[in-house]
Amino acid sequence: MKFFASLVDRLMATTKTNEKIGALEEYFHNASDRDKVWVIALFTGRRPKRTISSTLLRVWCAEYCQLPLWLVEECYHTVGDLSETIALLIDAYYTPDTHPADHSLTHYIEAFHQVEKATEAERKQVMLQGWKELQTVTERFIFNKLLSGSFRIGVSQQLMVKALAKVTQLEPAVIAHRISGKWDPGKITFDELLNDAGSLADDSRPYPFYLAYPLEAEPESLGSIEDWQAEWKWDGIRGQLIKRNNEFFVWSRGEELMTDKFPEYDPICKLLPDGTVLDGEIIVANGNEPLPFSLMQKRIGRKNLSNKIMQEAPVSFFAYDLLELNFEDYRSRPLAERRLALEQVVKLVNHEKLQLSSVVTCATWQELRELREESRQHYAEGFMLKRKDSVYQTGRKRGDWWKWKLDPMTIDCVMIYAQKGSGRRSNLYTDYTFAVRDGDSLVPFAKAYSGLTDKEFAQVDAFVKRNAIEKFGPVRTVKPDLVFELAFEGIAESNRHKSGVAVRFPRIKRWRHDKKPDEINTLDDLRQLLELYGTN
Amino acid sequence: MGLIQFTDKGLFCTKGGFYIDPWRPVDHAIITHGHSDHAKGGSKNYLCHTYSKPILQHRLGEANYQTVVWDQKLTINGVTVSLHPAGHVIGSSQVRVEYKGEVYVFSGDYKTEDDGISGAFAPVRCHTFITESTFGLPIYKWKPQQHIYNDMQQWILQNKQEGKASVLLAYSLGKAQRILGAISQVTDEIYVHGAIYNMQEVLLAHQLHHVKVIRISNELPKEKYRNAVIVAPPGADGTSWMKKFTPYRTAICSGWMQVRGNQRRRNADKGFVLSDHCDFEGLLSSIKATGCEKAFVTHGFQSVFTKYLNEIGIDASEVKTAYGNEAEEETEKEADQLNHPSS
């Protein structure tokens, strides 16, 4: 564990990409084969199956430190990360009564795996053993993290790809593809994962998504509209449909395998030619007619897909790109060519669940601009602009693809609750609940935690610390004094909130120092927006 | 009614007619130490420790200062007043107030580990103890300072080896002096920001510290900063003032660095967990050592800490004060000085 811990320490000790890549490179040159595979897995969000609940961790930690459980909870709210909280507490109350050990990373992962069906006492034994035999806060932090969540230590997928490309001397795009998809870090070797043989073995592997930046300038700056393809920007889940060797996979952009979540797509699979990968939007729709996104949220939240929810929230796949055909990688062909091939595939399949995301043709940018105002009627967020001769790139890139979104809706509201954030916002009140006025009362309608500068967050934090009304647990009720303009993309009816509405992607647009709490918007204003743009 | 009242101007001794660390101007103020959230200007008369006087003069300007040494007893309107070492920064003191056998002690800010320059904290027996709780959570547990100094020295040597300057960010009063002592063992030339230079000049002139430093200025050629060791206040971080040190690494020296997220938020390359306040155990052991019947808890995690004290059988209540913002205020003040480097 020491070797991996020193990598984690080095990664956290720098903010510079090159130093991080250097640290990873050195690690991959020297670490054991099995540990290396686990590190790739852990840093790309593939954690081992959880075998000990966080509740038990808290209880055992409190017991070991002889602290009341509520105090452990308070620490957690301040630190914002349970693994770190426990590592700090164990470190503070540790009495050296166990022989220090330096087992491998894989050793601990396997130890957790082995207690999956063990008794609580046996699981506790594994936990205490680790806490005691490991020696530093970092080692214990990693140990806890193996159970409780993903490592957020500033290593992005992209960074990992760059480091592995250096180690293996392969192209970054090749690496990105090979480490994506479904593979079992407990079974695959480093070479199998990264060399050719391994990539052939896995038919499920998706391509890294090409992502667009928002267009901040006017579209005229992009040159002639003739060179661009415009499509509605759908409000769904970006996904890839993959059929290889008659097996079918649905991936989300978050690299989550979601095949089971969308059984409606199974018929598409039968009709698709073998060796095909489509990029598109998983979208709640009746055939080619999109429905409100709020239905998708309802559906995604369910553990079991009932017939009822599948009827209420049916899904289609709006395809907009073709990445592989006849097992051939199409990504380096120009969009215009990919589009033609895509149109043929969709036609061939000819199933209502597979729709072609239509191209919107306008003679001028101005015409398109006017059409964009109607986005909400189409359940779209604006347009995607793609250069017709663009290749399908890897990750978020500027230049060839842009999202040109509609301006968000906005509401002035007042902050009424605050909660401390996590990660780099640890011990800072950065998660807020906002309310609008309804007569004499304030009605909460949205939570947001982005949009302010670090300095503004510090100011709000200081305000919360001085004006908190209730003091225990994570949430503080604060004096309704600070007014913010909140921006959001959509609005729908909801019975989850007191206000009866739910807004989509709420974020703070600006702090309205110029407004007083009695000048904020009302519940009626929200209802009016709901009537105008409501999607449910 | 208690001997010390919590008023909207600060802690007020009813019988003695004086305030302790008032945040508004008053007639008689006893000052625990020179940090800006405890020492405010504008009062008519100040009483402080001998070592604090030059610091207050530097920060608040000329005023009517009366000084005492630790354990020296004064009688003010029949109330016995004395100062006792708090170990927080140079001159920092606890204030003991006694009237007809009843003893109150206000801790000010304090730390239990002796840093060799601030005087060694000694608990004072009392009936009522008013304590800070800046780090009043059990996650805050400090390593011995020598351990941290060693790490710091290693870090500097490594940066040097890699051709980088080391920029240590620390408050100009307190943390800076501790760090200067530690790093003077690995370098002869320490470059400092004007705010730290000015403070250091004051301390040197009164023999309160011994490390000589070089003031960073536009007249110095940039080559001087190659592989150099620089100490600057936190407010300097991220400003264009830092550019001249490139290439460099930054380290923040603060108890808050105990939590990784804080370190990441500040975007520093390194965080040294070095505090001028007690850790959780330090707070508990100090409170117990006073033998107090009643504890009042202020600035920090006062709600949580108070609840815990009550659970372990120490009668405690929380009080609101305006203390605990030394970080914000000093940072702002020091940022101002960056804009007016001559001041």
Side-chain angles (χ1 to χ4, degrees), chain A residues 31-48:
Chain A
S32 77
D33 198 72
R34 301 194 63 200
D35 276 12
K36 283 196 284 197
V37 175
W38 272 113
V39 169
I40 300 173
L42 292 171
F43 284 177
T44 53
R46 289 171 180 76
R47 58 170 183 265

Side-chain angles (χ1 to χ4, degrees), chain A residues 12-16 19 67-68 70-71 74-75 78-79 84 88-89 91-93 137-138 152 420 423-428 466 471-472, chain B residues 137-141 143 164 249 256 258-265 267-270 280-281 301 303-304 307-308 311 318 320 325 328:
Chain A
M12 284 199 277
T14 179
T15 52
K16 309 202 171 52
E19 289 185 16
L67 292 170
W70 69 263
L71 188 53
E74 285 293 338
C75 291
T78 287
V79 176
E84 186 179 358
L88 288 170
L89 288 173
D91 196 64
Y93 288 87
V137 172
T138 308
R152 286 192 191 160
K420 284 176 182 173
R424 62 189 294 277
R425 290 153 159 211
S426 142
N427 201 16
L428 266 193
R466 265 171 224 147
K471 284 172 187 159
F472 296 105
Chain B
L137 284 182
I139 50 169
Y140 297 110
K141 161 90 176 175
K143 297 254 184 291
K164 296 197 164 152
R249 289 210 178 97
W256 299 112
Q258 177 82 336
V259 173
R260 287 158 207 275
N262 286 42
Q263 198 174 318
R264 272 165 55 204
R265 172 159 79 237
N267 244 344
D269 295 309
K270 182 87 184 160
F280 185 74
E281 276 305 313
F301 292 96
S303 314
V304 173
K307 182 173 171 185
Y308 183 68
E311 279 195 10
E318 56 176 300
K320 257 202 177 139
N325 305 315
E328 289 161 39

Side-chain angles (χ1 to χ4, degrees), chain A residues 451-470:
Chain A
L452 292 182
T453 63
D454 282 356
K455 197 175 170 190
E456 286 171 321
F457 272 128
Q459 288 167 348
V460 178
D461 174 71
F463 172 86
V464 173
K465 282 173 181 157
R466 265 171 224 147
N467 294 280
I469 299 169
E470 290 156 35

Side-chain angles (χ1 to χ4, degrees), chain A residues 317-335:
Chain A
F317 190 80
F318 280 34
Y320 35 63
D321 218 322
L322 178 84
L323 310 185
E324 183 176 311
L325 188 61
N326 298 320
F327 295 98
E328 196 185 327
D329 186 346
Y330 261 51
R331 290 178 300 161
S332 56
R333 305 184 184 210
L335 173 64

Side-chain angles (χ1 to χ4, degrees), chain B residues 188-210:
Chain B
D188 294 330
E189 295 184 339
I190 303 173
Y191 294 88
V192 302
H193 178 271
I196 292 174
Y197 181 83
N198 292 341
M199 178 56 70
Q200 198 63 10
E201 283 290 284
V202 171
L203 299 174
L204 287 169
H206 292 83
Q207 289 92 46
L208 293 172
H209 204 253
H210 60 278

Side-chain angles (χ1 to χ4, degrees), chain A residues 57 68 106 129 138 141 164 191 195 209-210 263 303 342 350 353 403 407 426 463 466 483 511:
Chain A
L57 292 190
T106 308
Q129 179 70 24
T138 308
F141 165 73
L164 287 172
D191 281 339
N195 75 20
F209 286 89
Y210 181 10
K303 262 201 170 147
L342 172 71
N350 190 21
K353 294 292 180 194
K403 44 185 176 189
D407 290 337
S426 142
F463 172 86
R466 265 171 224 147
V483 176
W511 187 349

